[in-house]
Amino acid sequence: MTDDRAPSTTRDAVISRYSGLARSARSGQQLIDCEPDAFEEGGFGAAGYADTSELPDGALRASLGCGNPVAVAELSPGETVLDLGSGGGIDVLLSARRVSPGGTAYGLDGSPDMIALARQNAAQAGVTNAQFLHGHIEDIPLADGTVDVVISNCVINLSADKPCVLAEAFRVLRPGGRLGISDVIAGEDLGPVQRAHAEQLTGCTTGALTAAEYRGLLLASGFAGIAITITHDATPGLYSAIIQATRPAA
């Protein structure tokens, strides 16, 4: 599904929204980006994690994802992992512990307020192998083939240029690198009007793709070994899902 607005307009609106949420989190508020029913039943926020004992309260309050991509990323010590749209840093902090010693966890976010919040949470957690970068997921500020694993948590659905995001993820992955993301997807039987209505009810998606659309964009970007697994019902017609793929080794 495409967004009828210009990509820059959509991106500016998303950054403004999440910058406000970051400022609220730094003031000690609990963030809920979706409607309460979707937040609880869809596995959004900290509800998507089985064990959060390693994380500071500030990271948990700012958790706005729709799953736990770290749980399926199969991270190993020494690897480099990149989180697209890292927000308050919860997945970066979890990843940083798993790739230590010798590994690095990058978080990329378009909101300076979210970057500041994530750095604050990393310092509080005592995590030293995490780096937070300011930039856009459609234009990742890392060199080609420098990342072992790309993760993301309920962010790609917010981009108005999803093909560019997935192409960028493919670019920065090393041959044999892995993609493991949580995202919201739309049911195959929803028409454009019904899909827009479902997104409005949830309140935290923009142009969600169907599983078939996601698979098509991943294939077009060069990915192989694609698996899309629905994990929760977010609202009628929208689902939380884990999307996995690899960059071929050849």
Side-chain angles (χ1 to χ4, degrees), residues 15 107-113 115 119 132-136 141:
I15 290 172
L108 174 65
D109 204 279
S111 165
D113 292 287
I115 294 292
R119 288 172 176 163
F132 293 95
L133 310 173
H134 179 236
H136 303 301

Side-chain angles (χ1 to χ4, degrees), residues 66 183-189 230-241:
C66 56
D183 213 348
V184 172
I185 63 172
E188 302 287 349
D189 57 343
I230 292 175
T231 56
H232 299 88
D233 292 346
T235 199
L238 293 179
Y239 309 93
S240 301

Side-chain angles (χ1 to χ4, degrees), residues 3-235:
D3 193 314
D4 293 333
R5 297 172 292 178
S8 60
T9 301
T10 300
R11 187 167 65 192
D12 289 347
V14 169
I15 290 172
S16 176
R17 178 181 186 178
Y18 284 89
S19 292
L21 290 171
R23 291 191 292 271
S24 296
R26 295 189 76 183
S27 70
Q29 297 181 43
Q30 172 69 51
L31 304 188
I32 297 181
D33 187 37
C34 304
E35 295 300 319
D37 288 346
F39 197 86
E40 292 298 326
E41 296 174 9
F44 287 78
Y49 300 85
D51 183 7
T52 57
S53 59
E54 299 178 339
L55 301 170
D57 289 341
L60 297 177
R61 285 197 305 270
S63 177
L64 296 169
C66 56
N68 180 4
V70 181
V72 299
E74 299 179 355
L75 300 176
S76 300
E79 289 190 315
T80 299
V81 58
L82 167 65
D83 182 14
L84 300 179
S86 50
I90 185 170
D91 293 306
V92 177
L93 300 184
L94 290 170
S95 298
R97 294 191 187 282
R98 295 198 180 192
V99 300
S100 180
T104 300
Y106 289 102
L108 174 65
D109 204 279
S111 165
D113 292 287
M114 278 295 184
I115 294 292
L117 175 63
R119 288 172 176 163
Q120 174 182 305
N121 288 333
Q124 184 176 349
V127 172
T128 59
N129 62 327
Q131 298 186 37
F132 293 95
L133 310 173
H134 179 236
H136 303 301
I137 61 175
E138 300 86 359
D139 185 19
I140 299 172
L142 292 173
D144 296 359
T146 54
V147 174
D148 297 295
V149 185
V150 171
I151 64 172
S152 186
N153 200 342
C154 209
V155 173
I156 294 177
N157 74 82
L158 297 172
S159 174
D161 194 349
K162 297 172 181 65
C164 185
V165 175
L166 296 176
E168 278 289 275
F170 186 89
R171 178 186 66 79
V172 300
L173 279 172
R174 296 187 175 100
R178 312 182 299 281
L179 178 79
I181 59 179
S182 298
D183 213 348
V184 172
I185 63 172
E188 302 287 349
D189 57 343
L190 288 186
V193 174
Q194 292 87 351
R195 200 185 304 188
H197 179 64
E199 291 177 353
Q200 186 178 25
L201 288 176
T202 305
C204 55
T205 58
T206 302
L209 299 170
T210 65
E213 290 168 339
Y214 233 121
R215 184 179 299 274
L217 291 182
L218 288 165
L219 286 170
S221 298
F223 284 101
I226 299 165
I228 300 175
T229 306
I230 292 175
T231 56
H232 299 88
D233 292 346
T235 199

